[in-house]
Amino acid sequence: MPQKVKHILSFLTCLIVLAVAALTKEGKVFGHDFKAHKTDSTTTQSIDTLQTLSDGTIVINSALLCKDVQGYAGPVPLKVYMKDGKVQKVEVLQNSETPDFFDEAKQLLTAWDGKTTDEALAAKVDAVSGATYTSRAIITGVQRSLHYAKADAEKPRLWQQIDHSLPALAALLVVLLGAIVPLFTKNKWWRMVQMALNVAVLGFWTGMFIDYSLLINYVANGLNPWTSIVPLVMLITAFVYPFFGKKTHYCTHICPCGSLQDLAGKLNTRHKWKMSKRLTAQLDLFRRILWAVLMVLLVTGVWASWMNYEIFVAFIIQSASWVVLALATLFMVLAIWVPRPYCRFVCPTGTLFKQAQHLGK
């Protein structure tokens, strides 16, 4: 069988695994809600985008207005309450966001209180550091709800869908540099700069990276390329570049976790731990077995929350659990003596990329 055909079949197999996991966890695949078919039709059609309460308060529900807007783990529907032309409060409805991340983002909810519709639309509300995806979903949800309240409910123009904030633009610049520059140069000094940018901007500043939570979100709910430009570029480098011979481009040149491990390794260039081929092979086998077990837990729904313990989340220090922070610290210290220990011997996301390129290798 030609190598390209094997590659395509491997990719499709991994996509099916993610789709089954998304169906098990969220009940949806690419935005199609299979759970809806199991519920009373009157229940599934009961969402009113605009309601007027007995005291004259207008309530706008963003669920239908923002079907294409994703947080970190899925949609973040809101209710915006307005009275006498002013925002009274913003309330978040049931969602799939990780509680720790949502706790960081919910401080935004009072940013529009007391403002008129025009004032609220003109307000410059920045995403909360450490909860970028959730913050962006909340901000977009409020904006679309307010436009709807003004009878301006047409689909937002392209430029309105793109996040123009400084962190988002910085992240886009860094990820484009990582996606393009290494194709044309292998300069070691530029690579140092790129790694530092990956860690500082994609990691600690904006918290943008690929992990299972993000992948399951996009497979379950679909992906709007204009509201998710940075993750889209990352996904292209992870899944499309390998078709053209760049098998580890994302992991090597963009992933902030891999970059931080490489930078940690620069602290010690002389006294590396020498691992035997046998031990290396055993640890690689451990990674494969671990990945297989985690996939079974994911697709069966037995313990899908293991996704919350991938160490990428440690970049979002204020939201990460102490377990994740401890694991991340352990692997970063170990990286001083062992090149990329997490990437080589543990990383479930990196293993998925490898499996998508060629099953069984």
Side-chain angles (χ1 to χ4, degrees), residues 72-73 95-104 134 213 308 313 319:
Y72 184 71
N95 58 79
S96 300
E97 298 297 88
T98 303
D100 289 340
F101 294 115
F102 180 73
D103 286 343
E104 291 295 322
T134 308
S213 294
N308 299 331
V313 182
S319 302

Side-chain angles (χ1 to χ4, degrees), residues 211-224:
D211 64 359
Y212 266 91
S213 294
L214 193 70
L215 290 171
I216 296 299
N217 172 20
Y218 288 146
V219 173
N221 300 292
L223 183 152
N224 182 332

